[in-house]
């Protein structure tokens, strides 16, 4: 999931450099959402692992 967030971040950067503001904004928004989901799932897995052992 982190890989997808980085992919959308790169797409947003390239689109921003080329002047496509709408695509850059949408890609950046998707990258932010995916990153937050990744962090939440990572924290949940850390807590589950700590409780299991």
């Amino acid at each position: 999931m982190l890989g997808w967030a980085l992919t959308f971040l790169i797409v947003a950067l390239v689109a921003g450099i080329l002047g496509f503001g709408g695509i850059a904004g949408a890609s950046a928004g998707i990258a932010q959402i995916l990153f937050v989901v990744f962090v939440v799932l990572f924290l949940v897995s850390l807590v589950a692992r700590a409780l299991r052992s």
Side-chain angles (χ1 to χ4, degrees), residues 22-50:
I23 297 172
S27 295
I30 293 170
Q32 287 176 342
I33 291 169
L34 288 175
F35 182 74
V36 168
V37 170
F38 168 77
V39 169
V40 168
L41 290 175
F42 178 70
L43 291 175
V44 168
S45 68
L46 284 179
V47 170
R49 184 174 173 94

